Amino acid sequence: MKIREITPSDSENLVQLIEEVEKTSDFMLFEAGERKISGEQFRKKIESFQDASTILVAERQEKLVGYLIVVAGDANRAKHSAYLVIGITAEHRGQGIGSQLFKQLNAWAKNHQLHRLELTVMESNSAGIALYQKNGFVIEGIKKDSLFVNGKYENEYYMAKLIG
């Protein structure tokens, strides 16, 4: 398993990976087929990242199997903080890839002067919550009835981690 920063040439493969993850998980914001973004649009997005934004990818046998999107704040008062989105293919979940992505993120974030990492997670996503807590994230709050998934409202937790 190789964890690395994305390059613009990965954009088509990343779009396919995100589509695959969204097809196989009820815990992503977008439903299967809902996101409309091309490889070219994603390439431009990757090229436009500022210093404290990136995408880390997990690669196995030259195939992308996971991603961790890091988007830092634009305003001066929020540049120390980044919002995260993680996704791993169904057949690779539960194999430690998420922890490897977070380990790489910790080193990357320190090198890019980030102090706060944050995310949201559905209250029913016990595996996700366990992964985040294992990697130092704590629940800071709850968003009641934040999402409508499979015919019912879902709460989301706000989770964050401060980097020393």
Side-chain angles (χ1 to χ4, degrees):
M1 177 65 53
K2 180 179 179 183
I3 307 293
R4 62 177 176 80
E5 270 192 270
I6 196 143
T7 64
S9 65
D10 292 315
S11 61
E12 290 289 341
N13 291 333
L14 179 63
V15 168
Q16 291 174 7
L17 171 61
I18 290 170
E19 288 173 351
E20 182 179 343
V21 169
E22 290 173 348
K23 280 184 211 170
T24 61
S25 175
D26 285 335
F27 298 120
M28 304 307 289
L29 176 61
F30 288 94
E31 296 176 359
E34 181 181 3
R35 184 187 306 268
K36 304 295 183 212
I37 189 165
S38 70
E40 178 63 18
Q41 289 169 314
F42 230 110
R43 184 186 60 75
K44 288 178 182 176
K45 185 177 184 101
I46 293 165
E47 291 173 344
S48 73
F49 279 154
Q50 300 298 317
D51 288 342
S53 294
T54 193
I55 301 173
L56 299 176
V57 291
E59 187 177 50
R60 180 173 280 162
Q61 298 172 342
E62 299 187 26
K63 182 180 189 312
L64 299 184
V65 298
Y67 59 89
L68 180 55
I69 300 172
V70 182
V71 180
D74 289 330
N76 285 334
R77 293 179 177 180
K79 286 186 178 194
H80 69 285
S81 182
Y83 185 80
L84 310 176
V85 176
I86 188 170
I88 299 168
T89 60
E91 65 268 19
H92 292 94
R93 292 178 196 143
Q95 299 178 19
I97 294 170
S99 289
Q100 289 179 49
L101 283 163
F102 278 115
K103 182 179 178 183
Q104 184 76 20
L105 171 63
N106 288 335
W108 187 91
K110 286 178 185 176
N111 288 335
H112 289 82
Q113 290 73 50
L114 287 174
H115 175 68
R116 177 183 171 84
L117 303 174
E118 56 190 33
L119 53 84
T120 58
V121 58
M122 286 184 209
E123 187 177 42
S124 60
N125 185 353
S126 56
I129 293 165
L131 170 67
Y132 307 142
Q133 288 176 329
K134 176 182 168 187
N135 286 281
F137 287 77
V138 296
I139 295 172
E140 292 187 329
I142 190 168
K143 293 171 67 175
K144 296 278 190 182
D145 292 350
S146 175
L147 301 173
F148 192 72
V149 181
N150 295 326
K152 64 180 184 136
Y153 290 102
E154 288 273 350
N155 296 337
E156 282 186 294
Y157 288 132
Y158 285 107
M159 295 186 78
K161 172 183 180 172
L162 299 180
I163 300 172

